[in-house]
């Protein structure tokens, strides 16, 4: 049997699929051998007959090679590039239409149009997406605890100056360095979502101790992320907490953590959701503001075509208020269509994720897509006039950039992880070994 499997696997070029294929073929042969034994054959004859029934190992291996090779979700990539083109055209249009222009100062002597910068960062985003496609998503899970600790430690070190008793006493140059560090680390904190999926997978087989540790990760991460760029950003805290809660819920339902399912799920949601509600009620985080006449802008907009209010009157038209800008310059119908396109693309990402049989990839992918969906919801709310006290600018995934275009790059990075999950959808079995002792390659293909 083992010789048969060895010859078969030699025909399959994608080595990462060997274990899953070998386990499946071995189980099939053993099942058939047991059936043969029940019919009166001795063990050796039964196994030999089961192997013969499998057919020629070379021919079978070549057929499996066609199925278990790395795959690229071409339709998904094409849809993403189409939305990218739409967003680029929109930002170039905005740069030309607004009388005051949309410009970004790169250096004291260099000013570049926002539309040009958006094109550049969109191309960088596509490159990031394709780079993450090349990386095996299980590599993120393999080093998830180490990566999570390092990321949270970096973030804590970047915000510790904010909670100092007298931060204004800092030298200006030191303050600039610390603020810059916080900005850079903040831009990659979205990676905690795929990292958390790996952390949960490492708790597979554990009981209530694993559940408590999983909850602690949520609390620590969400509390740290409530401070962003020197300001409280409860949007980020809520988004991350909900993503992690959903991932933990799926992990419990998939029996990664061996606890009573329904009581545990009710416990984690009843423990953490009221925390969000209390913060909102206590600090009055959200304000529906009409300071910029946002309601009058929306009500004066037409279903299609230019409204009565000029786009020049909209603050942050390229980021938080991009839907408001689209509504007043092109029509509410166009804004709704843009939302539908973005949500449709994200739902497509969920469908692509669902095609994997690997549970780790499923939980990681769902977490990434929920993060994007929540970003869409918050940006819609911002477009309708909701303002969060001292928050960083919101963004609409793939359509607006966010602060320093970090939101745009994060959106493409999330899709890159989805492409990596799809790439290995036929390579990995339902469960995979992500221990540090396991053999792995960061790049596959």
């Amino acid at each position: 049997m083992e010789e048969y499997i060895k010859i078969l696997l030699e025909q399959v070029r994608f080595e990462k699929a060997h274990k899953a294929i070998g386990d499946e073929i071995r189980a099939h042969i053993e099942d058939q051998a047991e059936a043969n034994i029940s019919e009166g054959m001795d063990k050796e004859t039964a196994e030999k007959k089961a192997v013969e029934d499998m057919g020629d190992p070379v021919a079978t291996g070549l057929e499996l090679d066609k199925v278990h090779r790395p795959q690229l979700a071409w339709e998904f990539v094409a849809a993403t590039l189409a939305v990218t083109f739409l967003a680029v055209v929109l930002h170039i249009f905005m740069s030309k239409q607004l009388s005051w222009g949309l410009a970004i100062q790169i250096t004291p002597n260099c000013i570049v149009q926002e539309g040009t910068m958006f094109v550049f960062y969109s191309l960088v985003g596509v490159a990031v997406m394709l780079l993450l496609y090349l990386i095996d998503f299980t590599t993120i899970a393999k080093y998830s605890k180490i990566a999570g600790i390092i990321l949270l430690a970096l973030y804590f070190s970047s915000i510790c100056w904010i909670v100092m008793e007298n931060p204004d006493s800092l030298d200006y140059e030191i303050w600039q360095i610390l603020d810059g560090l916080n900005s850079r680390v903040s831009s990659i904190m979205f990676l905690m979502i795929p990292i958390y999926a790996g952390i949960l997978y490492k708790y597979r087989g554990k009981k209530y101790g694993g559940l408590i540790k999983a909850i602690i990760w949520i609390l620590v991460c969400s509390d740290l992320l409530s401070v962003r760029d020197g300001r409280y950003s409860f949007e980020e805290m809520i988004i991350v907490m909900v993503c992690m809660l959903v991932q933990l819920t799926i992990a419990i339902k998939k029996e990664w953590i061996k606890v009573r399912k329904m009581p545990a799920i009710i416990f984690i949601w009843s423990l953490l959701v009221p925390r969000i509600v209390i913060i909102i009620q206590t600090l009055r985080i959200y304000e529906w503001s009409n300071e910029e006449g946002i309601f009058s802008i929306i009500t004066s907009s037409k279903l299609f075509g230019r409204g009565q209010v000029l786009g020049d009157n909209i603050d942050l038209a390229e980021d938080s208020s991009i839907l408001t800008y689209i509504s007043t310059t092109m029509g509410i119908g166009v804004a709704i269509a843009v939302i539908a396109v973005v949500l449709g693309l994200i739902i497509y990402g969920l469908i692509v994720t669902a095609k994997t049989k690997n549970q780790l990839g499923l939980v990681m992918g769902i977490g990434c897509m929920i993060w994007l969906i929540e970003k869409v919801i918050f940006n819609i709310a911002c477009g309708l006039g909701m303002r969060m006290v001292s928050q960083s600018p919101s963004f609409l995934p793939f359509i607006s950039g966010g602060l320093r275009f970090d939101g745009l790059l994060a959106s493409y990075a999330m899709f890159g992880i989805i492409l990596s999950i799809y790439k290995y959808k036929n390579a990995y079995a339902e469960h995979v070994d992500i221990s540090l002792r396991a053999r792995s390659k960061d790049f596959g293909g």
Side-chain angles (χ1 to χ4, degrees):
M1 177 173 64
E2 294 303 325
E3 182 63 24
Y4 178 90
I5 294 174
K6 179 182 177 183
I7 295 173
L8 183 149
L9 292 178
E10 286 174 352
Q11 317 310 313
V12 180
R13 288 169 291 179
F14 190 45
E15 292 184 6
K16 292 189 177 185
H18 283 190
K19 185 179 185 305
I21 296 173
D23 291 344
E24 185 177 345
I25 297 297
R26 189 176 293 106
H28 187 77
I29 293 175
E30 289 173 350
D31 289 343
Q32 186 59 47
E34 288 180 7
N36 292 340
I37 292 172
S38 67
E39 293 177 0
M41 295 183 188
D42 62 82
K43 184 177 180 180
E44 184 177 348
T45 304
E47 183 177 303
K48 184 178 180 181
K49 181 69 169 58
V51 171
E52 289 175 355
D53 290 343
M54 292 294 297
D56 179 40
V58 175
T60 305
L62 290 174
E63 288 300 316
L64 289 171
D65 177 62
K66 296 177 182 178
V67 176
H68 291 86
R69 61 180 58 179
Q71 299 182 44
L72 179 61
W74 288 106
E75 297 85 356
F76 182 61
V77 173
T80 303
L81 294 178
V83 173
T84 300
F85 178 76
L86 170 69
V88 165
V89 171
L90 173 63
H91 280 264
I92 292 175
F93 172 81
M94 291 173 65
S95 295
K96 293 182 177 180
Q97 290 296 313
L98 294 175
S99 60
W100 46 272
L102 282 173
I104 298 174
Q105 186 168 358
I106 307 299
T107 66
N109 299 318
C110 180
I111 297 177
V112 180
Q113 277 196 331
E114 193 274 345
T116 304
M117 292 296 292
F118 190 88
V119 172
F120 171 75
Y121 277 101
S122 293
L123 294 174
V124 173
V126 171
V128 169
M129 179 178 72
L130 295 177
L131 175 64
L132 286 173
Y133 158 74
L134 294 175
I135 299 175
D136 187 341
F137 72 94
T138 62
T139 302
I140 300 173
K142 188 181 294 292
Y143 300 100
S144 55
K145 285 187 178 179
I146 298 172
I149 291 170
I150 291 174
L151 206 53
L152 292 178
L154 280 173
Y155 194 82
F156 176 76
S157 64
S158 72
I159 64 170
C160 60
W161 63 277
I162 299 170
V163 295
M164 288 175 55
E165 187 173 339
N166 186 18
D168 294 334
S169 63
L170 288 172
D171 182 78
Y172 180 70
E173 291 184 359
I174 296 176
W175 180 88
Q176 276 193 316
I177 293 172
L178 292 173
D179 188 54
L181 175 64
N182 178 240
S183 298
R184 297 297 173 268
V185 178
S186 296
S187 65
I188 60 172
M189 286 304 294
F190 69 92
L191 290 174
M192 277 305 304
I193 303 303
I195 286 173
Y196 185 64
I199 292 171
L200 288 176
Y201 201 75
K202 285 183 177 289
Y203 292 145
R204 193 164 67 94
K206 297 187 181 297
K207 298 183 179 180
Y208 287 95
L211 179 63
I212 292 171
K213 290 176 182 177
I215 293 173
I216 290 173
W217 275 97
I218 295 177
L219 293 174
V220 172
C221 188
S222 58
D223 280 357
L224 285 176
L225 286 175
S226 65
V227 181
R228 180 181 172 90
D229 297 318
R231 297 166 289 182
Y232 288 102
S233 177
F234 294 97
E235 173 186 332
E236 204 65 30
M237 184 201 77
I238 293 169
I239 287 175
V240 168
M241 185 177 289
V242 171
C243 286
M244 288 183 163
L245 273 172
V246 171
Q247 288 177 308
L248 180 54
T249 300
I250 298 173
I252 293 172
K253 287 182 70 66
K254 295 288 185 182
E255 298 183 348
W256 292 6
I257 301 175
K258 303 295 183 179
V259 295
R260 293 178 61 191
K261 293 182 184 179
M262 201 44 104
I265 292 170
I266 293 172
F267 172 73
I268 61 174
W269 283 90
S270 61
L271 174 68
L272 298 174
V273 171
R275 193 163 174 264
I276 298 173
V277 176
I278 290 171
I279 292 173
I280 292 174
Q281 291 178 340
T282 304
L283 301 180
R284 297 180 65 186
I285 300 169
Y286 299 111
E287 295 180 352
W288 292 90
S289 173
N290 196 33
E291 291 178 4
E292 302 168 52
I294 197 147
F295 290 136
S296 63
I297 292 173
I298 295 171
T299 55
S300 65
S301 299
K302 299 178 181 178
L303 183 60
F304 293 102
R306 184 178 294 276
Q308 298 176 8
V309 180
L310 295 176
D312 301 71
N313 298 327
I314 302 172
D315 189 26
L316 293 174
E318 74 281 13
D319 277 314
S320 303
S321 303
I322 192 163
L323 290 174
T324 309
Y325 173 84
I326 294 172
S327 297
T328 190
T329 56
M330 304 175 198
I332 296 174
V334 176
I336 293 174
V338 169
I339 294 170
V341 166
V342 174
L343 284 176
L345 184 62
I346 296 171
I347 292 171
Y348 193 0
L350 281 171
I351 294 172
V352 168
T353 301
K355 291 182 178 180
T356 181
K357 58 186 176 183
N358 180 260
Q359 290 190 8
L360 170 61
L362 182 68
V363 173
M364 188 179 291
I366 288 175
C368 294
M369 293 302 96
I370 289 177
W371 185 85
L372 288 170
I373 289 172
E374 289 184 85
K375 286 293 183 181
V376 173
I377 293 171
F378 271 95
N379 192 257
I380 292 172
C382 285
L384 293 174
M386 185 185 77
R387 291 291 181 268
M388 185 183 291
V389 175
S390 300
Q391 75 169 50
S392 298
S394 177
F395 68 92
L396 184 62
F398 306 103
I399 303 299
S400 60
L403 195 63
R404 298 175 305 278
F405 296 95
D406 55 353
L408 184 66
L409 296 180
S411 301
Y412 283 104
M414 289 300 199
F415 269 21
I417 294 171
I418 296 301
L419 288 175
S420 176
I421 293 168
Y422 183 88
K423 175 183 179 180
Y424 298 104
K425 69 185 182 73
N426 292 324
Y428 292 132
E430 188 175 14
H431 292 289
V432 63
D433 184 6
I434 61 167
S435 63
L436 293 176
R437 296 186 301 274
R439 181 188 175 192
S440 71
K441 293 181 180 180
D442 287 352
F443 292 84

